[in-house]
Amino acid sequence: MLRASASASSRPGMIAAVRALCAQTLPHDSALQVRHASRSILQDRAQSWNRGFSFSSGLEAAGRKNGRRAQQRHHSTFASLPERQKCVVVDSAKCPVLSAQSLVVVADQVLPQVADGDVLIEVAYAGVNAPDLMQRQGKYPAPKGHSSILGLEVSGVVVAVGSKTSRVQVGDTVCALTPGGGYAQYCTAPEGSCLPLPAGLSLREAAAVPETFFTVWRNVFMTAGLKADETLLVHGGAGGIGSTAIQLAKAVGASVITTAGSDEKCAFCRELGADLAINYQTQDFVAEVKAKLGKGRGVDVLLDMVGGDYFQRNLQIMGTGGRHVSIAFRKGSSVTVDLLPLLLRRLTLSGSTLRHQSAAYKMEIADQLKEHVWPMLASGAVKPRVDREYALEEAGRAHADLEQGRVKGKVVLAVPRVA
């Protein structure tokens, strides 16, 4: 059993502005106690990663002894974790403009410290998302006190747990939402942000779940309250957020309208279940939505990642009592808007970021996902769409694909095991 001492005084920070994306720090003023899994067991498990199997742990007994969970030792020898790991870092000296070419792999990074309520995951795959691109460019800093390494979602095996954990055990195979650090061989995550692999999903697929599913469920369902027989419009339907929103909305019985940047991507959206897919390069989405829904009708929920001049146009197609949710603003956060539609149609405007929310709130989202969405994933009604896979060393190519709009669904990085 490894013990380390971790103390730091910190307090939650204020989110001064969404663009600044200021962060909060989680306190960890206490002795840290972590428990390690047998390396031989984990090596056996890792050999099956590419076959997409998920495993039950079988590594720890449920009982507790002297306040500590007793371990079921299948092997007599327990080896320690390595001191160093490979990870992807942003090399501003190599590429001052912070393009995709600025991403390089280093092999001498120390393993992250495990706070009392966190777990340490040996990463099999890491998801790649738009916020990673923003962080690489210096526009989306990591929360204070957390890893500055890119990567907000991972899948893998839990190899150590903090002393105040109770939901996750060493040896569990999980997918997890992380505050950062995913582009590495080892990554920490709050235990409340970890979820078991959905039945039938591989580790590769599971790595594409947390960031988009947490985001969509929180905004479309918990905040906007989308219901069956309502209509959702989501911009960017062929991306990670969009492809997730389309599937979840259809699974609950809603109608879906989406926009995408090519006919090929529109076809992909219709394959996912979209009732109407609009090519925003060649069509006016306002006119198309009005033609689809008819005079006097509008969408009930609109999930927007564009901002800028889209905002006023979005309001033109909102129905009475509609809920508009902003989660990004690729065309800018400053808008000039006529507020009259809000009054006449009783519209609700909301917005959010996920990364800087409390661990407790993320655990609430995770619990709802496990209850409502995990059965959809297990049945195949909803499925993460992994379009491309790259090695960890090719993270720059993954970023370039996202930036150039070549992706339909998600991109993941395959993370090599420590030799």
Side-chain angles (χ1 to χ4, degrees):
M1 182 178 297
L2 172 68
R3 290 179 182 270
S5 183
S7 63
S9 58
S10 58
R11 60 182 181 179
M14 294 289 290
I15 302 180
V18 175
R19 283 176 299 178
L21 292 170
C22 296
Q24 65 183 13
T25 316
L26 297 178
H28 50 280
D29 286 328
S30 61
L32 175 68
Q33 178 181 353
V34 295
R35 296 177 287 274
H36 296 290
S38 164
R39 295 292 294 173
S40 56
I41 294 175
L42 295 178
Q43 287 168 353
D44 290 342
R45 174 169 295 160
Q47 291 172 359
S48 299
W49 279 356
N50 288 334
R51 295 198 299 271
F53 295 165
S54 62
F55 300 81
S56 59
S57 66
L59 293 173
E60 295 186 327
R64 293 177 179 272
K65 183 177 182 181
N66 298 326
R68 291 172 288 183
R69 192 181 288 120
Q71 290 188 338
Q72 179 77 26
R73 301 195 177 191
H74 291 258
H75 293 260
S76 60
T77 301
F78 280 70
S80 63
L81 293 171
E83 295 183 358
R84 302 281 175 170
Q85 64 168 339
K86 288 183 179 180
C87 69
V88 174
V89 299
V90 180
D91 188 345
S92 58
K94 174 185 177 184
C95 185
V97 296
L98 301 180
S99 70
Q101 285 69 42
S102 67
L103 298 181
V104 298
V105 172
V106 297
D108 61 349
Q109 186 81 16
V110 297
L111 269 63
Q113 294 291 315
V114 185
D116 290 343
D118 288 355
V119 304
L120 182 66
I121 300 168
E122 185 173 9
V123 179
Y125 291 90
V128 180
N129 297 280
D132 302 343
L133 278 60
M134 295 174 60
Q135 182 176 339
R136 188 200 76 221
Q137 298 164 356
K139 299 176 182 178
Y140 193 25
K144 292 180 180 178
H146 291 285
S147 175
S148 61
I149 298 171
L150 305 182
L152 301 177
E153 60 183 351
V154 300
S155 66
V157 179
V158 176
V159 295
V161 298
S163 61
K164 294 184 179 179
T165 57
S166 60
R167 296 160 59 102
V168 179
Q169 299 183 14
V170 168
D172 285 351
T173 309
V174 299
C175 58
L177 183 74
T178 78
Y183 292 13
Q185 291 174 309
Y186 291 90
C187 177
T188 59
E191 71 158 348
S193 296
C194 298
L195 284 159
L197 259 66
L201 258 62
S202 66
L203 280 158
R204 178 178 183 267
E205 293 169 318
V209 169
E211 172 68 12
T212 54
F213 278 73
F214 271 72
T215 298
V216 170
W217 188 260
R218 186 266 182 105
N219 289 284
V220 174
F221 296 93
M222 295 175 67
T223 298
L226 180 70
K227 300 184 291 290
D229 301 323
E230 290 191 321
T231 299
L232 166 73
L233 187 145
V234 55
H235 288 300
I241 294 291
S243 60
T244 301
I246 291 170
Q247 293 184 80
L248 288 177
K250 293 301 294 183
V252 303
S255 298
V256 178
I257 300 173
T258 190
T259 62
S262 70
D263 291 341
E264 180 185 4
K265 288 184 177 180
C266 285
F268 173 70
C269 294
R270 289 190 292 270
E271 176 190 335
L272 294 174
D275 299 281
L276 175 64
I278 303 164
N279 184 341
Y280 63 78
Q281 301 281 12
T282 60
Q283 297 171 287
D284 176 4
F285 75 83
V286 173
E288 295 295 327
V289 171
K290 288 183 176 181
K292 171 72 173 178
L293 298 182
K295 186 176 180 180
R297 295 188 59 205
V299 302
D300 300 290
V301 175
L302 195 150
L303 184 63
D304 182 49
M305 296 155 278
V306 183
D309 62 355
Y310 266 44
F311 189 81
Q312 185 69 62
R313 298 169 69 192
N314 289 343
L315 298 187
Q316 296 176 38
I317 56 174
M318 299 292 296
T320 301
R323 291 87 73 194
H324 183 290
V325 185
S326 297
I327 59 172
F329 25 77
R330 295 172 187 169
K331 298 186 73 172
S333 61
S334 298
V335 299
T336 299
V337 60
D338 178 6
L339 296 176
L340 186 59
L342 273 70
L343 307 182
L344 297 181
R345 280 179 265 147
R346 306 190 306 276
L347 304 183
T348 299
L349 306 180
S350 63
S352 71
T353 61
L354 179 61
R355 189 177 190 180
H356 301 85
Q357 301 302 316
S358 69
Y361 187 57
K362 292 175 185 176
M363 182 169 68
E364 180 183 348
I365 302 172
D367 287 343
Q368 289 204 21
L369 286 173
K370 187 175 181 181
E371 178 182 356
H372 300 291
V373 177
W374 254 227
M376 299 179 191
L377 290 166
S379 69
V382 174
K383 189 177 181 66
R385 298 301 183 103
V386 178
D387 185 36
R388 299 170 188 227
E389 174 187 326
Y390 289 113
L392 184 67
E393 292 79 5
E394 299 176 301
R397 291 182 61 191
H399 278 221
D401 281 351
L402 281 180
E403 288 175 325
Q404 295 172 22
R406 293 195 289 256
V407 178
K408 298 190 296 292
K410 294 292 292 282
V411 180
V412 297
L413 302 176
V415 180
R417 300 196 69 247
V418 175

